[in-house]
Amino acid sequence: MDVRSFVRALPKAELHLHLEGALEPELMMRLAARNKVDIPFRSVEEVRAAYRFTRLQDFLDIYYRGMDVLRAEEDFHDLTAAYLERAAADGAVHVEVFFDPQGHAARGIPFAVAADGILAALAEGPERLGITSLLIMCVLRHLDEEDGFAAFREAAPYVADGRIAGLGLDSTEKNNPPAKFERLFAAAREAGLRLVAHAGEEGPASYVADAVDRLGVDRIDHGNHALDDPALVRRLAGLGIPLTVCPLSNLRLGGVADLRQHPLKRMLDAGLRATVNSDDPAYFGGYLLDNFVAVAEALQLEAADLVTLARNSIEASFLDEPAKRTHLDRLDRIAGAQG
Ligand code: HPA
Ligand code: ZN
């Protein structure tokens, strides 16, 4: 059986996905017209041609431009619904998605407009597509901690009743260390949120260690540069801290020159709980399954590795234990039947 069909059939969770990064050029053009927003592109081809970034900051500059077309609740709904369809088609049974409330607040879009639109689409997931979800709000690390606190305060009603399940940290990593957000993450933990942070994407291994030690995160997003520090790798493996790895993102942003040099296999061999994810699929050229197939082919992963990656994604999710058990039992049955 080919890799794509094999992996599609495995129950999987996607744990590192920025909804604003799932904004396909077609939808961007449509929303620009619907909302009468000026964007510097006249066609889908022009949008795609602009995606020539080679590092994180170049990508982020375009990403923040692109999200300007998101104005009304309905826009956030349509974006989220489109992503869920793609994820379900790739065999995802559960997703934990990020959004950037400060990226919208800066444009005068209230927290509730973005969150309500996203949550409305996520609520349709189980019945329409057989896909469950959790929503994680990310804080932009290039802004100061007080700006993050302002977003967190706006989120209070959503945090109180669980509509927001977690807090994340994204945007420009270099010179914005985890320590900058120590008080905010402590407050979020106090409020019962699960915690994640981008670390070791462009930043050093010490940022990964600080995300664990100073922010107390449950998962690391990316984590590639942790491999520069063997003692840290042993500690992450011992603690069972999952890494949400994004192969095509790493390729497009220059983290690896070639997918054959991607560290995913080394992570697995070192006992790290790595998972495969798509990050910003509309920008990086592939959704969940595309990431699996590309990295499996480049690293010549075996069926057992692919099953491990699927298992890791369920185990690393914030689902409750009974839900995890259901998915893992199904995974074992399917992997057993295919192997
Ligand atoms: N890295 C950091 N911040 C981001 C990313 C990313 O890949 N995508 C959206 N915000
Ligand atoms: Zn990311």
Short mmCIF file of all heavy atoms in Angstrom, two decimals, residues 219-267:
data_model
loop_
_atom_site.label_atom_id
_atom_site.label_comp_id
_atom_site.label_asym_id
_atom_site.label_seq_id
_atom_site.Cartn_x
_atom_site.Cartn_y
_atom_site.Cartn_z
N ARG A 219 3.55 21.08 25.90
CA ARG A 219 4.12 20.66 24.61
C ARG A 219 5.00 21.77 24.09
O ARG A 219 4.79 22.94 24.40
CB ARG A 219 3.01 20.47 23.54
CG ARG A 219 2.06 19.36 23.75
CD ARG A 219 1.26 19.05 22.46
NE ARG A 219 0.43 20.12 21.95
CZ ARG A 219 -0.91 20.12 21.93
NH1 ARG A 219 -1.58 19.07 22.39
NH2 ARG A 219 -1.57 21.14 21.42
N ILE A 220 5.94 21.38 23.24
CA ILE A 220 6.77 22.35 22.52
C ILE A 220 6.34 22.33 21.05
O ILE A 220 6.25 21.26 20.43
CB ILE A 220 8.27 21.96 22.61
CG1 ILE A 220 8.78 22.09 24.04
CG2 ILE A 220 9.11 22.78 21.64
CD1 ILE A 220 8.99 23.51 24.51
N ASP A 221 6.11 23.51 20.49
CA ASP A 221 5.81 23.61 19.06
C ASP A 221 7.13 23.79 18.30
O ASP A 221 7.92 24.68 18.61
CB ASP A 221 4.84 24.75 18.81
CG ASP A 221 3.48 24.46 19.45
OD1 ASP A 221 2.99 23.32 19.27
OD2 ASP A 221 2.93 25.34 20.15
N HIS A 222 7.37 22.92 17.36
CA HIS A 222 8.64 22.75 16.63
C HIS A 222 9.66 22.02 17.54
O HIS A 222 9.63 20.81 17.60
CB HIS A 222 9.22 24.08 16.10
CG HIS A 222 8.37 24.74 15.08
ND1 HIS A 222 8.14 24.19 13.84
CD2 HIS A 222 7.68 25.91 15.10
CE1 HIS A 222 7.35 25.00 13.14
NE2 HIS A 222 7.05 26.04 13.89
N GLY A 223 10.56 22.76 18.16
CA GLY A 223 11.53 22.11 19.05
C GLY A 223 12.78 21.60 18.34
O GLY A 223 13.64 20.98 18.96
N ASN A 224 12.91 21.90 17.05
CA ASN A 224 14.03 21.33 16.27
C ASN A 224 15.40 21.58 16.89
O ASN A 224 16.25 20.69 16.93
CB ASN A 224 14.02 21.89 14.84
CG ASN A 224 12.73 21.55 14.11
OD1 ASN A 224 11.67 21.50 14.73
ND2 ASN A 224 12.80 21.32 12.82
N HIS A 225 15.60 22.82 17.39
CA HIS A 225 16.94 23.15 17.90
C HIS A 225 17.25 22.52 19.25
O HIS A 225 18.38 22.62 19.73
CB HIS A 225 17.16 24.68 17.93
CG HIS A 225 17.43 25.23 16.56
ND1 HIS A 225 18.66 25.10 15.96
CD2 HIS A 225 16.64 25.87 15.68
CE1 HIS A 225 18.60 25.65 14.76
NE2 HIS A 225 17.39 26.12 14.56
N ALA A 226 16.28 21.84 19.84
CA ALA A 226 16.57 21.08 21.06
C ALA A 226 17.67 20.05 20.78
O ALA A 226 18.47 19.72 21.67
CB ALA A 226 15.32 20.37 21.57
N LEU A 227 17.72 19.59 19.52
CA LEU A 227 18.71 18.56 19.18
C LEU A 227 20.14 19.05 19.30
O LEU A 227 21.08 18.24 19.34
CB LEU A 227 18.45 18.04 17.76
CG LEU A 227 17.15 17.25 17.58
CD1 LEU A 227 17.02 16.74 16.15
CD2 LEU A 227 17.06 16.08 18.55
N ASP A 228 20.34 20.37 19.37
CA ASP A 228 21.69 20.91 19.56
C ASP A 228 22.22 20.65 20.97
O ASP A 228 23.40 20.87 21.23
CB ASP A 228 21.71 22.43 19.31
CG ASP A 228 21.28 22.77 17.88
OD1 ASP A 228 21.33 21.86 17.02
OD2 ASP A 228 20.88 23.92 17.63
N ASP A 229 21.34 20.23 21.86
CA ASP A 229 21.73 20.04 23.27
C ASP A 229 21.35 18.63 23.73
O ASP A 229 20.20 18.39 24.14
CB ASP A 229 21.04 21.11 24.13
CG ASP A 229 21.36 20.98 25.62
OD1 ASP A 229 21.94 19.94 26.02
OD2 ASP A 229 21.02 21.91 26.37
N PRO A 230 22.29 17.69 23.65
CA PRO A 230 21.98 16.28 23.97
C PRO A 230 21.41 16.08 25.38
O PRO A 230 20.53 15.24 25.57
CB PRO A 230 23.33 15.58 23.83
CG PRO A 230 24.12 16.45 22.91
CD PRO A 230 23.68 17.86 23.19
N ALA A 231 21.88 16.88 26.34
CA ALA A 231 21.35 16.73 27.71
C ALA A 231 19.88 17.14 27.75
O ALA A 231 19.06 16.51 28.42
CB ALA A 231 22.17 17.57 28.69
N LEU A 232 19.54 18.19 27.01
CA LEU A 232 18.15 18.64 26.94
C LEU A 232 17.28 17.57 26.26
O LEU A 232 16.16 17.30 26.70
CB LEU A 232 18.06 19.97 26.17
CG LEU A 232 16.64 20.49 25.88
CD1 LEU A 232 15.87 20.78 27.17
CD2 LEU A 232 16.71 21.75 25.01
N VAL A 233 17.81 16.97 25.21
CA VAL A 233 17.06 15.91 24.51
C VAL A 233 16.72 14.79 25.48
O VAL A 233 15.58 14.31 25.55
CB VAL A 233 17.86 15.36 23.31
CG1 VAL A 233 17.22 14.08 22.76
CG2 VAL A 233 17.94 16.43 22.21
N ARG A 234 17.70 14.39 26.29
CA ARG A 234 17.45 13.31 27.26
C ARG A 234 16.39 13.73 28.27
O ARG A 234 15.53 12.95 28.66
CB ARG A 234 18.76 12.93 27.97
CG ARG A 234 19.70 12.10 27.08
CD ARG A 234 20.85 11.49 27.88
NE ARG A 234 21.77 12.49 28.42
CZ ARG A 234 22.79 13.04 27.73
NH1 ARG A 234 23.02 12.65 26.48
NH2 ARG A 234 23.58 13.93 28.30
N ARG A 235 16.44 15.00 28.66
CA ARG A 235 15.46 15.49 29.64
C ARG A 235 14.05 15.54 29.04
O ARG A 235 13.07 15.11 29.67
CB ARG A 235 15.88 16.87 30.14
CG ARG A 235 15.36 17.18 31.53
CD ARG A 235 16.29 18.13 32.27
NE ARG A 235 16.33 19.45 31.65
CZ ARG A 235 15.39 20.39 31.85
NH1 ARG A 235 14.38 20.15 32.64
NH2 ARG A 235 15.50 21.56 31.27
N LEU A 236 13.94 16.04 27.81
CA LEU A 236 12.62 16.10 27.15
C LEU A 236 12.05 14.69 26.96
O LEU A 236 10.86 14.46 27.14
CB LEU A 236 12.72 16.79 25.79
CG LEU A 236 13.09 18.28 25.78
CD1 LEU A 236 13.29 18.76 24.34
CD2 LEU A 236 12.02 19.11 26.47
N ALA A 237 12.93 13.77 26.60
CA ALA A 237 12.49 12.38 26.41
C ALA A 237 12.02 11.80 27.74
O ALA A 237 10.97 11.15 27.82
CB ALA A 237 13.63 11.55 25.81
N GLY A 238 12.79 12.06 28.79
CA GLY A 238 12.43 11.54 30.11
C GLY A 238 11.12 12.11 30.62
O GLY A 238 10.30 11.40 31.22
N LEU A 239 10.90 13.40 30.34
CA LEU A 239 9.66 14.05 30.78
C LEU A 239 8.47 13.71 29.87
O LEU A 239 7.33 13.97 30.21
CB LEU A 239 9.85 15.59 30.79
CG LEU A 239 10.80 16.15 31.84
CD1 LEU A 239 11.11 17.63 31.55
CD2 LEU A 239 10.20 16.02 33.24
N GLY A 240 8.78 13.16 28.69
CA GLY A 240 7.72 12.85 27.74
C GLY A 240 7.06 14.08 27.14
O GLY A 240 5.89 14.06 26.77
N ILE A 241 7.82 15.18 27.04
CA ILE A 241 7.26 16.42 26.46
C ILE A 241 7.13 16.25 24.94
O ILE A 241 8.13 16.05 24.26
CB ILE A 241 8.20 17.62 26.73
CG1 ILE A 241 8.45 17.78 28.24
CG2 ILE A 241 7.65 18.88 26.06
CD1 ILE A 241 7.61 18.77 28.94
N PRO A 242 5.93 16.35 24.42
CA PRO A 242 5.77 16.19 22.97
C PRO A 242 6.31 17.37 22.18
O PRO A 242 6.31 18.51 22.67
CB PRO A 242 4.25 16.09 22.79
CG PRO A 242 3.68 15.81 24.14
CD PRO A 242 4.63 16.47 25.11
N LEU A 243 6.75 17.11 20.96
CA LEU A 243 7.15 18.15 20.01
C LEU A 243 6.17 18.10 18.84
O LEU A 243 5.93 17.03 18.28
CB LEU A 243 8.56 17.90 19.47
CG LEU A 243 9.71 17.69 20.46
CD1 LEU A 243 11.02 17.52 19.69
CD2 LEU A 243 9.81 18.87 21.42
N THR A 244 5.63 19.26 18.48
CA THR A 244 4.76 19.30 17.30
C THR A 244 5.61 19.79 16.12
O THR A 244 5.85 20.98 15.96
CB THR A 244 3.56 20.23 17.52
OG1 THR A 244 4.02 21.55 17.75
CG2 THR A 244 2.72 19.76 18.72
N VAL A 245 6.06 18.85 15.33
CA VAL A 245 7.03 19.11 14.26
C VAL A 245 6.30 19.37 12.94
O VAL A 245 5.26 18.77 12.68
CB VAL A 245 7.97 17.89 14.13
CG1 VAL A 245 9.01 18.11 13.05
CG2 VAL A 245 8.65 17.60 15.48
N CYS A 246 6.86 20.27 12.13
CA CYS A 246 6.20 20.72 10.90
C CYS A 246 7.19 20.67 9.74
O CYS A 246 7.83 21.68 9.41
CB CYS A 246 5.66 22.13 11.08
SG CYS A 246 4.60 22.33 12.54
N PRO A 247 7.31 19.51 9.08
CA PRO A 247 8.37 19.32 8.08
C PRO A 247 8.34 20.32 6.91
O PRO A 247 9.38 20.92 6.60
CB PRO A 247 8.13 17.89 7.58
CG PRO A 247 7.45 17.20 8.73
CD PRO A 247 6.58 18.26 9.36
N LEU A 248 7.18 20.52 6.28
CA LEU A 248 7.16 21.41 5.11
C LEU A 248 7.39 22.87 5.51
O LEU A 248 7.99 23.64 4.76
CB LEU A 248 5.85 21.27 4.33
CG LEU A 248 5.68 19.93 3.59
CD1 LEU A 248 4.27 19.82 2.98
CD2 LEU A 248 6.73 19.76 2.49
N SER A 249 6.96 23.23 6.70
CA SER A 249 7.25 24.57 7.23
C SER A 249 8.75 24.75 7.40
O SER A 249 9.33 25.76 6.98
CB SER A 249 6.52 24.75 8.57
OG SER A 249 7.00 25.87 9.27
N ASN A 250 9.40 23.76 8.00
CA ASN A 250 10.86 23.83 8.20
C ASN A 250 11.58 23.95 6.87
O ASN A 250 12.57 24.69 6.75
CB ASN A 250 11.37 22.58 8.92
CG ASN A 250 10.79 22.40 10.31
OD1 ASN A 250 10.67 21.28 10.80
ND2 ASN A 250 10.40 23.47 10.97
N LEU A 251 11.06 23.26 5.86
CA LEU A 251 11.68 23.32 4.53
C LEU A 251 11.52 24.71 3.93
O LEU A 251 12.48 25.32 3.46
CB LEU A 251 11.05 22.26 3.62
CG LEU A 251 11.61 22.18 2.20
CD1 LEU A 251 13.06 21.74 2.21
CD2 LEU A 251 10.78 21.22 1.34
N ARG A 252 10.30 25.26 4.00
CA ARG A 252 10.02 26.55 3.36
C ARG A 252 10.69 27.71 4.09
O ARG A 252 10.99 28.74 3.48
CB ARG A 252 8.51 26.78 3.27
CG ARG A 252 7.81 25.86 2.29
CD ARG A 252 8.31 26.01 0.86
NE ARG A 252 8.10 27.36 0.33
CZ ARG A 252 6.97 27.78 -0.22
NH1 ARG A 252 5.95 26.96 -0.35
NH2 ARG A 252 6.86 29.00 -0.66
N LEU A 253 10.90 27.57 5.40
CA LEU A 253 11.48 28.68 6.17
C LEU A 253 12.98 28.50 6.41
O LEU A 253 13.59 29.21 7.21
CB LEU A 253 10.74 28.86 7.50
CG LEU A 253 9.25 29.20 7.38
CD1 LEU A 253 8.63 29.45 8.74
CD2 LEU A 253 9.03 30.41 6.47
N GLY A 254 13.57 27.53 5.71
CA GLY A 254 15.02 27.41 5.75
C GLY A 254 15.59 26.69 6.96
O GLY A 254 16.80 26.68 7.18
N GLY A 255 14.72 26.08 7.76
CA GLY A 255 15.22 25.29 8.90
C GLY A 255 16.02 24.09 8.44
O GLY A 255 16.99 23.68 9.09
N VAL A 256 15.60 23.51 7.31
CA VAL A 256 16.38 22.46 6.65
C VAL A 256 16.48 22.80 5.17
O VAL A 256 15.54 23.35 4.59
CB VAL A 256 15.75 21.04 6.81
CG1 VAL A 256 15.84 20.56 8.24
CG2 VAL A 256 14.32 21.02 6.30
N ALA A 257 17.63 22.52 4.57
CA ALA A 257 17.83 22.83 3.16
C ALA A 257 17.13 21.80 2.28
O ALA A 257 16.75 22.08 1.14
CB ALA A 257 19.31 22.87 2.84
N ASP A 258 16.94 20.62 2.84
CA ASP A 258 16.41 19.49 2.08
C ASP A 258 15.70 18.60 3.11
O ASP A 258 16.22 18.42 4.21
CB ASP A 258 17.60 18.74 1.45
CG ASP A 258 17.16 17.64 0.51
OD1 ASP A 258 16.39 16.76 0.94
OD2 ASP A 258 17.58 17.68 -0.66
N LEU A 259 14.54 18.04 2.74
CA LEU A 259 13.82 17.22 3.72
C LEU A 259 14.61 15.98 4.13
O LEU A 259 14.37 15.41 5.18
CB LEU A 259 12.44 16.81 3.20
CG LEU A 259 11.29 17.79 3.43
CD1 LEU A 259 9.98 17.16 3.00
CD2 LEU A 259 11.21 18.26 4.88
N ARG A 260 15.56 15.58 3.29
CA ARG A 260 16.39 14.42 3.68
C ARG A 260 17.26 14.72 4.89
O ARG A 260 17.77 13.82 5.54
CB ARG A 260 17.26 13.96 2.49
CG ARG A 260 16.45 13.17 1.46
CD ARG A 260 17.25 12.90 0.21
NE ARG A 260 17.58 14.16 -0.47
CZ ARG A 260 18.12 14.24 -1.68
NH1 ARG A 260 18.41 13.14 -2.34
NH2 ARG A 260 18.38 15.41 -2.21
N GLN A 261 17.41 16.02 5.18
CA GLN A 261 18.16 16.39 6.40
C GLN A 261 17.25 16.70 7.57
O GLN A 261 17.70 17.19 8.61
CB GLN A 261 19.03 17.62 6.09
CG GLN A 261 20.24 17.29 5.25
CD GLN A 261 20.56 18.39 4.25
OE1 GLN A 261 20.29 19.56 4.51
NE2 GLN A 261 21.11 18.01 3.10
N HIS A 262 15.95 16.43 7.38
CA HIS A 262 15.02 16.79 8.45
C HIS A 262 15.27 15.94 9.70
O HIS A 262 15.51 14.73 9.60
CB HIS A 262 13.56 16.65 8.00
CG HIS A 262 12.63 17.33 8.94
ND1 HIS A 262 12.20 16.73 10.10
CD2 HIS A 262 12.12 18.59 8.93
CE1 HIS A 262 11.43 17.61 10.75
NE2 HIS A 262 11.37 18.73 10.07
N PRO A 263 15.20 16.55 10.91
CA PRO A 263 15.54 15.83 12.14
C PRO A 263 14.47 14.87 12.67
O PRO A 263 14.68 14.25 13.72
CB PRO A 263 15.79 16.96 13.15
CG PRO A 263 14.96 18.09 12.66
CD PRO A 263 14.98 18.00 11.16
N LEU A 264 13.33 14.72 11.98
CA LEU A 264 12.23 13.94 12.57
C LEU A 264 12.64 12.53 12.99
O LEU A 264 12.32 12.07 14.09
CB LEU A 264 11.06 13.86 11.58
CG LEU A 264 9.84 13.10 12.09
CD1 LEU A 264 9.18 13.83 13.26
CD2 LEU A 264 8.82 12.89 10.97
N LYS A 265 13.37 11.84 12.12
CA LYS A 265 13.76 10.47 12.44
C LYS A 265 14.73 10.44 13.64
O LYS A 265 14.63 9.58 14.52
CB LYS A 265 14.38 9.82 11.20
CG LYS A 265 14.88 8.39 11.38
CD LYS A 265 13.75 7.39 11.60
CE LYS A 265 14.31 5.97 11.65
NZ LYS A 265 13.43 5.07 12.44
N ARG A 266 15.63 11.43 13.66
CA ARG A 266 16.56 11.51 14.80
C ARG A 266 15.80 11.77 16.10
O ARG A 266 16.17 11.26 17.16
CB ARG A 266 17.59 12.62 14.56
CG ARG A 266 18.78 12.15 13.71
CD ARG A 266 19.78 13.27 13.51
NE ARG A 266 19.34 14.19 12.47
CZ ARG A 266 19.49 15.51 12.49
NH1 ARG A 266 20.06 16.10 13.53
NH2 ARG A 266 19.07 16.26 11.49
N MET A 267 14.76 12.56 16.00
CA MET A 267 13.93 12.83 17.19
C MET A 267 13.30 11.53 17.70
O MET A 267 13.34 11.23 18.90
CB MET A 267 12.82 13.83 16.86
CG MET A 267 13.32 15.25 16.63
SD MET A 267 11.98 16.25 15.92
CE MET A 267 12.68 17.90 16.08
#
